[in-house]
Amino acid sequence: GIRFRDPQVIGAGERGNAYDVSGGPDRPSKDHHPRSQAPHRKLLEQKVTWILATALTVLLCVAIAQPAACHNVERCRQEHARIQDLRSYSGYIAAALASVMLHELAAVILTHRTARKAIHLIPNIRESLLPSVLLCLTFFVLILENLAFVIGERPWFAHATNVGHPELDGQPVYTVFFAEWLINVPILLILAGSIALQRPMPEVAEPLVVTNVYIVFAWVAHFVSSPGIRYCLIALCFLMYFRASWSMCRWVWNWHLENSDDHHILGRPL
C-alpha cells in the first residue's frame, strides 16, 4: 500500500515504515546488491532461522560437554551458598526493573488507547509502539533472571565448572545469565539495527546469529577439560565478536550513506 513519510515519528524516512521487522519484500531499500538475493540471505530473513540456529548450537554443545548441574556437585553448592547474602540485591534490582517495565507498559497502553480511533488514518502509529514493547520484554526477562536468585536456595539455574583444574572445577557457572543474553541481545540488535538504523533484516540477522552462537560457545567453554579445545573455543568467540562488531559498524556506515542528504554527519538532528 501507499506509505507516508512522517518526520515526527522516530525512524520514519525514505524507507517508509521504520518499524517493519518482518523483512518482507515490500520494504524499500536503496542498495540493490546482487548478494541480497543470495539463498543464505533469504534464509536469514526468517526469524525461525535465528531460533533454530541458536537452539541447535545449544543442544549440540550440551550433548558434547554434558555439564553437571550445580546442585549435584557438593563444591558448587557450597560456593553458591557463600553468596546467599547477596540475594537481597537481586530482589532490589527486580523491583526496580518491575517499576520501569510497568511505567513503559502503561505508556504503551495509554498511547494505543489514545490513538486507537486514528490508527487506520495515521501511518506508523501501531509500529511506533514496537520499540517500547520490545523494551518491556527485555525488562521482563531481566526480572526473571534476578528472581531466579531470590526464589529458593537450590541453584537449579547454574552448572558446575569442569575444566580439569582442581582450583577451578566445581565453581558455579550461572547459566541463567547466558540464557538472558540469548534473548535480550537479539532484541537490542533489532532495536538498534532494524528500527533505529532501518537496516534490512538479513543485514541485521547475520551479526545477531553470530552473537548468539558465540554466547553459547563462551558458556560451553567452562565445561571443556581439554585446554587446546577450550582455548580454540575462546579464540573463536573473540573472532566472532569482532565479526559481529564489524557488521554493526557497517549498519551505521550504510545508514549514513543512504541518508547523508537528510541528516547531520553525526546522526539524526535533535
Side-chain angles (χ1 to χ4, degrees), residues 58-97:
V58 171
L59 292 175
L60 182 62
C61 289
V62 169
I64 294 176
Q66 296 182 351
C70 184
H71 60 267
N72 292 330
V73 179
E74 179 64 24
R75 183 181 179 184
C76 191
R77 291 199 304 270
Q78 294 175 354
E79 293 294 331
H80 176 72
R82 291 173 55 187
I83 67 167
Q84 289 304 294
D85 294 340
L86 302 177
R87 291 174 60 189
S88 59
Y89 292 102
S90 295
Y92 300 147
I93 294 172
L97 288 169

Side-chain angles (χ1 to χ4, degrees), residues 150-241:
V150 177
I151 301 175
E153 297 183 358
R154 183 180 181 183
W156 56 269
F157 45 84
H159 291 84
T161 303
N162 180 23
V163 293
H165 193 288
E167 295 184 3
L168 297 178
D169 287 350
Q171 294 289 334
V173 178
Y174 292 104
T175 304
V176 66
F177 293 154
F178 295 87
E180 178 260 314
W181 295 337
L182 290 177
I183 299 173
N184 277 352
V185 170
I187 293 176
L188 295 177
L189 292 182
I190 290 174
L191 284 170
S194 182
I195 293 178
L197 296 175
Q198 308 167 36
R199 306 317 309 154
M201 192 49 59
E203 193 174 324
V204 176
E206 180 181 347
L208 186 153
V209 173
V210 170
T211 299
N212 268 17
V213 171
Y214 80 66
I215 287 174
V216 178
F217 285 170
W219 171 77
V220 80
H222 293 87
F223 317 113
V224 177
S225 57
S226 171
I229 298 177
R230 186 168 64 254
Y231 294 151
C232 287
L233 268 178
I234 295 172
L236 181 59
C237 287
F238 277 106
L239 290 175
M240 297 177 76
Y241 166 78

Side-chain angles (χ1 to χ4, degrees), residues 115-149:
R116 184 165 48 189
K117 293 183 179 180
I119 204 165
H120 299 295
L121 301 176
I122 303 176
N124 293 330
I125 290 182
R126 189 189 303 272
E127 290 81 2
S128 65
L129 299 176
L130 181 58
S132 294
V133 173
L134 292 177
L135 280 177
C136 288
L137 182 57
T138 61
F139 291 144
F140 180 71
V141 174
L142 286 170
I143 291 171
L144 294 180
E145 175 193 39
N146 283 276
L147 287 179
F149 288 88

Side-chain angles (χ1 to χ4, degrees), residues 31-42:
D31 51 341
H32 301 285
H33 301 294
R35 64 171 185 165
S36 62
Q37 301 300 322
H40 77 280
R41 289 177 64 84
K42 288 290 185 182

